[in-house]
Amino acid sequence: MLVLRLILAIVLGLVLGSIVNMALVMLGGVVVPPPPGADMNTPEGIRAALPLLGPGHYIFPLLAHALGTLAGAFIAARVTEQRKLLGAMIVGAFFFIGGILAATMIPAPAWFVVLDLAIAYFPCAWLGYRFARPRP
C-alpha cells in the first residue's frame, strides 16, 4: 500500500508540476512578448528568433522549469506517507530528463541550458521536499 501511495504521489506531482510549468510558460509569452514576427511555437521558429531574444526572454522558461519542479516535488512529498525525499527527487528526475530532452530539441544558448539544468530540477525538488516537511 505504501508503494502504491508513493507512485500515486509521484504521478500527482508530475501532473500538477506540469500544469504549473505550462501556466508559467504561457504567462511568460504575455509578460515578455517574443520579438515581432517570431514564431515561438516550433523549434525552427525558435531557432530563427534566437538572435533576437534577450536575457529577459529566458526568465519565464527558467521560472517555469524551477517552479514546476518545486510544485511537483512539494505535492509528491506531501501526499506520500513515507519516503518523502524519494518521491520529491523522482519528480525532480523526471523533470530533469524532460529538461535534457527539451535542450536537445529546442535551441537555446549554452549558458541557459547549463543554468537551467543546474538549478531548476534537483535543487528545486529538494526545496519542494523541505517545504513539504511538517514544521515543529
Side-chain angles (χ1 to χ4, degrees):
M1 193 63 174
L2 291 176
V3 171
L4 184 60
R5 183 143 181 175
L6 176 61
I7 291 169
L8 178 64
I10 291 166
V11 170
L12 187 61
L14 290 171
V15 169
L16 293 177
S18 295
I19 291 170
V20 169
N21 184 323
M22 286 310 300
L24 286 169
V25 166
M26 292 169 53
L27 178 65
V30 174
V31 174
V32 184
D39 175 17
M40 303 303 283
N41 296 315
T42 65
E44 297 79 23
I46 295 171
R47 190 173 290 111
L50 218 72
L52 306 172
L53 300 179
H57 290 100
Y58 296 97
I59 292 171
F60 271 90
L62 182 62
L63 280 175
H65 300 166
L67 295 179
T69 302
L70 182 118
F74 174 83
I75 293 299
R78 287 294 281 195
V79 169
T80 192
E81 291 179 19
Q82 296 180 346
R83 309 242 185 233
K84 294 180 179 295
L85 180 59
L86 177 65
M89 287 301 171
I90 288 174
V91 168
F94 272 101
F95 278 108
F96 181 75
I97 291 167
I100 291 171
L101 293 173
T104 62
M105 293 185 286
I106 302 170
W111 67 265
F112 174 77
V113 172
V114 169
L115 182 65
D116 186 54
L117 294 176
I119 68 167
Y121 302 105
F122 290 111
C124 287
W126 182 80
L127 281 175
Y129 157 73
R130 294 283 297 179
F131 291 154
R133 290 185 332 166
R135 302 287 176 231

